[in-house]
């Protein structure tokens, strides 16, 4: 059964028509069977295009998410990338990318999804919804596992946050039930983004009314 479309903002370009249903093992190669809402001929053509190395920073489309999910769990990867984006001083890309990839072939698509998460967190963080809410086989538990894996790359920063706001990191613990994590993760991510990246105060123009309430222009009052 295909997941229903649930757009949440202008930055939400995530998949809604793909579901991983079965995995077969043949030696060292994993093959995946996908249910996709399009004709086989069209799917073969589109996947042949989307699995080529990608240099763009455009959001992934449904077919590219399917290709990426065939290489590694997209929920785990997005949880990992979200933690990297949130961290005040993220590790060097060479360091976190090695930890993020389960298959080197996923690199181009993973980097584009990282850019997408950066854009979303910087432009419209209040609308954030993790990818597991799109349905399919993705779970909040896997998303949280990826988030914890990225936290391990900068324990000092996360230990400081845990001391200040333990309630924000509680939903990511391994022992947390799926339903609890599912509901609590989005608001926790939004809170952490606001904590580490507070909105900048609007700049006061010299001819604007002074914020002190004097009624004078800023340049003739506090800005003199």
């Amino acid at each position: 059964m295909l997941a229903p479309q649930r757009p949440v903002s202008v930055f939400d370009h995530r998949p809604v028509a793909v579901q991983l249903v079965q995995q077969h093992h043949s030696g060292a190669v994993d093959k995946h069977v996908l249910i996709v809402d399009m004709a086989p001929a069209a799917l073969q053509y589109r996947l042949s295009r989307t699995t080529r190395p990608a240099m763009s920073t455009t959001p992934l489309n449904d077919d590219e998410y399917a290709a990426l999910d065939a290489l590694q769990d997209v929920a785990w990867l997005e949880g990992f990338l979200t933690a990297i984006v949130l961290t005040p001083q993220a590790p060097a890309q060479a360091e976190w990318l090695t930890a993020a990839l389960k298959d080197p072939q996923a690199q181009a698509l993973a980097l584009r999804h990282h850019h997408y998460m950066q854009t979303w967190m910087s432009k419209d963080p209040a609308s954030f919804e993790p990818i597991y809410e799109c349905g399919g086989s993705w779970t909040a538990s896997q998303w949280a596992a990826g988030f914890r894996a990225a936290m391990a790359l900068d324990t000092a920063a996360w230990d400081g946050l845990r001391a200040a706001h333990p309630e924000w990191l509680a939903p990511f613990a391994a022992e947390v039930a799926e339903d609890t994590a599912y509901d609590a993760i989005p608001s926790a991510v939004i809170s952490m983004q606001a904590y580490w990246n507070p909105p900048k105060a609007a700049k006061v123009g010299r001819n604007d009314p002074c914020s002190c309430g004097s009624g004078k222009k800023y340049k003739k009052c506090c800005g003199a």
Side-chain angles (χ1 to χ4, degrees):
M1 185 175 186
L2 301 178
Q5 186 168 1
R6 297 184 59 195
V8 295
S9 82
V10 294
F11 300 104
D12 192 2
H13 298 275
R14 298 175 302 175
V16 294
V18 181
Q19 182 180 357
L20 180 65
V21 294
Q22 189 176 3
Q23 181 177 20
H24 300 284
H25 297 278
S26 176
V29 179
D30 290 345
K31 298 180 180 179
H32 299 260
V33 178
L34 301 173
I35 294 177
V36 182
D37 190 17
M38 68 178 66
L43 171 63
Q44 182 177 7
Y45 170 71
R46 293 182 67 183
L47 281 182
S48 68
R49 297 181 65 196
T50 58
T51 52
R52 295 172 185 170
M55 299 304 293
S56 72
T57 56
T58 57
L60 304 186
N61 60 38
D62 288 9
D63 301 335
E64 290 168 322
Y65 276 109
L68 180 56
D69 206 43
L71 297 171
Q72 66 179 91
D73 188 283
V74 170
W76 186 97
L77 178 63
E78 183 179 282
F80 185 100
L81 297 177
T82 302
I84 293 297
V85 170
L86 291 177
T87 306
Q89 295 183 337
Q93 179 176 298
E95 179 183 355
W96 66 253
L97 188 58
T98 299
L101 296 180
K102 305 297 184 182
D103 187 320
Q105 296 180 74
Q107 178 171 321
L109 295 177
L111 286 173
R112 281 176 57 197
H113 195 49
H114 172 254
H115 181 269
Y116 161 65
M117 297 306 298
Q118 282 184 314
T119 301
W120 198 350
M121 288 291 100
S122 64
K123 300 291 186 181
D124 191 15
S127 73
F128 172 73
E129 291 186 6
I131 200 167
Y132 60 73
E133 294 192 356
C134 291
S137 60
W138 297 313
T139 66
S141 298
Q142 277 296 97
W143 203 98
F147 196 94
R148 292 195 304 273
M151 288 172 59
L153 300 181
D154 189 358
T155 55
W158 292 101
D159 285 346
L161 181 64
R162 183 178 288 107
H165 291 282
E167 71 280 8
W168 292 346
L169 292 177
F172 301 93
E175 65 273 12
V176 173
E178 172 70 18
D179 289 349
T180 301
Y182 188 104
D183 293 335
I185 284 175
S187 60
V189 169
I190 293 170
S191 295
M192 286 186 278
Q193 168 68 12
Y195 178 80
W196 270 332
N197 300 278
K200 296 179 180 179
K203 186 176 181 180
V204 179
R206 289 184 54 78
N207 290 316
D208 292 339
C210 190
S211 58
C212 72
S214 65
K216 299 179 180 179
K217 290 184 178 181
Y218 176 72
K219 67 181 179 183
K220 294 184 176 296
C221 189
C222 296

